[in-house]
Amino acid sequence: MMITSRITISLVAACFFGIASFASAKEKAPAKEKSAGAGASEYTKGIQLLDSQQYDQAVTEFDKAILANSKQPAFYEGRGFAYFALQRYPEAGDDFSKAIELSPKDMRAFVGRAQVFLQQKNYQQALADTEKALEIKPDEVAAIKLRGFAELGLSQWDKAIADFTNVLQKKPDDLQTYDRRALAYRGLKNFDAAIADYTVLVEKNPNDTEALTKRGYTYSLMGQYEKAIPDYEAALKLNPQDNDTFSRLQWTQSQLKAKNAPPPTTTTTTAAPTATPEKPSLMSQIKPLYIVIGIVALILIAVIVRLLTRGKVEETSHIIR
């Protein structure tokens, strides 16, 4: 069904709602990176431009830093995040890989490359990179969250729920993680838990049309159409041009109408007995054509007999009277 395909398939494929967090990239670089000598000033400027979302200019500064010193992993890492922000994922992946090559314990580079793999829907590789990052820094929230994204892509619902719950324990106001955990709960058909997470989102932001629509859809999966309809109507009030939600509302209304329709009444009708056909009489079986043929035959016989007897002299008696 169209509704099902839109919500269950597109939410897994595009689960980031924009560019993933750059928190790891924008952490203060270690002291030895700051005092790296050649290229350090360009790197610092690149980080400032990255913070101010001037990504093209940031790439230019990181280029200068790398030209000045090609052995600094932080320079490649910084440019990798700038490329990622520009959605130039292959270049970003190459830079993160170079940073890892130069510094195999660079947790931030593993986190950055994991985000590239997630955008490319290479969930298995993303999972591997988040595991590496967590080996280096087990309590890194960004890595735990990204691992949950990878597990979602691999339909590992239980593991994703565990990771998202871990994230929420550390960052209870992370609304995106509530949304992702709700999707994992839906994958397990734990609809009540999914509804609870969507409700948190709606309570924190009553104008969240996505949360309203997703909660409405989850209610419809439960067959609770009477609860789904108000959510769809609220979402449409906020965004009347949302044709997909309008289609969902119509479908849900039709399902509720069918659910509440009285059962059809069945009436028993007695069939009239079929009359036994009468056996036709002998006279009724004689066709008019046969009668005509019979008459003609009699006439022919009479004519033939007349012709045969014509001209014969009637014998007379020889007795003298």
Side-chain angles (χ1 to χ4, degrees):
M1 184 179 65
M2 177 190 68
I3 300 169
T4 306
S5 65
R6 179 186 184 269
I7 293 185
T8 59
I9 297 176
S10 67
L11 288 181
V12 173
C15 61
F16 305 112
F17 300 103
I19 297 171
S21 171
F22 292 115
S24 297
K26 294 187 261 187
E27 291 174 353
K28 296 296 183 182
K32 64 179 182 180
E33 292 178 358
K34 288 185 176 181
S35 59
S41 62
E42 291 85 356
Y43 170 75
T44 301
K45 189 179 293 185
I47 291 295
Q48 292 171 350
L49 291 166
L50 189 63
D51 283 334
S52 61
Q53 300 181 10
Q54 300 179 60
Y55 304 122
D56 285 307
Q57 295 90 328
V59 168
T60 300
E61 292 302 319
F62 289 131
D63 284 342
K64 293 177 183 177
I66 291 169
L67 284 173
N69 185 352
S70 62
K71 299 300 182 183
Q72 268 295 332
F75 298 172
Y76 292 98
E77 176 191 298
R79 189 173 69 177
F81 279 105
Y83 277 140
F84 185 88
L86 293 169
Q87 300 184 25
R88 294 169 62 175
Y89 302 128
E91 293 100 319
D94 289 343
D95 273 351
F96 291 132
S97 294
K98 183 64 176 179
I100 291 168
E101 177 187 328
L102 293 171
S103 179
K105 296 295 184 181
D106 187 349
M107 182 274 300
R108 292 174 301 174
F110 279 111
V111 167
R113 193 170 68 175
Q115 291 180 85
V116 172
F117 284 136
L118 286 169
Q119 290 291 347
Q120 296 172 336
K121 302 179 186 178
N122 189 343
Y123 302 119
Q124 199 63 56
Q125 285 297 109
L127 182 62
D129 273 359
T130 56
E131 294 285 7
K132 283 286 187 181
L134 289 167
E135 286 176 12
I136 299 166
K137 189 177 179 182
D139 61 344
E140 176 57 42
V141 176
I144 297 171
K145 182 175 179 177
L146 292 172
R147 184 172 66 181
F149 287 153
E151 289 159 347
L152 270 185
L154 295 169
S155 299
Q156 297 177 5
W157 313 118
D158 284 317
K159 293 180 178 180
I161 289 169
D163 276 338
F164 292 140
T165 300
N166 191 355
V167 171
L168 289 170
Q169 288 171 350
K170 302 175 190 300
K171 297 178 66 177
D173 292 328
D174 187 343
L175 302 186
Q176 185 188 46
T177 299
Y178 280 106
D179 179 86
R180 299 299 84 202
R181 189 173 69 174
L183 177 60
Y185 278 133
R186 272 210 334 239
L188 286 177
K189 301 189 185 308
N190 187 346
F191 299 127
D192 288 325
I195 291 292
D197 276 351
Y198 288 133
T199 300
V200 170
L201 296 176
V202 173
E203 288 175 350
K204 289 182 177 292
N205 181 10
N207 294 330
D208 187 344
T209 57
E210 287 286 337
L212 286 166
T213 300
K214 292 171 186 175
R215 189 174 68 175
Y217 177 67
T218 306
Y219 276 132
S220 71
L221 291 176
M222 302 169 71
Q224 297 182 16
Y225 306 117
E226 64 283 353
K227 293 183 179 180
I229 289 172
D231 276 349
Y232 288 144
E233 290 175 338
L236 284 171
K237 186 176 180 180
L238 294 167
N239 182 12
Q241 306 304 318
D242 189 346
N243 293 327
D244 288 337
T245 299
F246 182 72
S247 297
R248 294 190 194 102
L249 174 61
Q250 287 186 315
W251 181 86
T252 305
Q253 288 171 333
S254 68
Q255 293 298 111
L256 180 61
K257 183 178 180 180
K259 179 181 176 181
N260 294 334
T265 56
T266 56
T267 56
T268 305
T269 57
T270 305
T274 305
T276 303
E278 297 181 2
K279 186 176 180 180
S281 64
L282 180 61
M283 291 301 297
S284 66
Q285 297 183 57
I286 299 176
K287 306 296 183 184
L289 179 61
Y290 297 159
I291 296 173
V292 172
I293 293 173
I295 294 172
V296 172
L298 290 174
I299 294 172
L300 288 174
I301 293 172
V303 170
I304 292 171
V305 171
R306 180 64 179 167
L307 289 174
L308 290 176
T309 57
R310 186 177 179 182
K312 287 188 178 182
V313 180
E314 184 179 354
E315 293 185 2
T316 57
S317 176
H318 296 288
I319 302 174
I320 299 173
R321 298 180 178 182

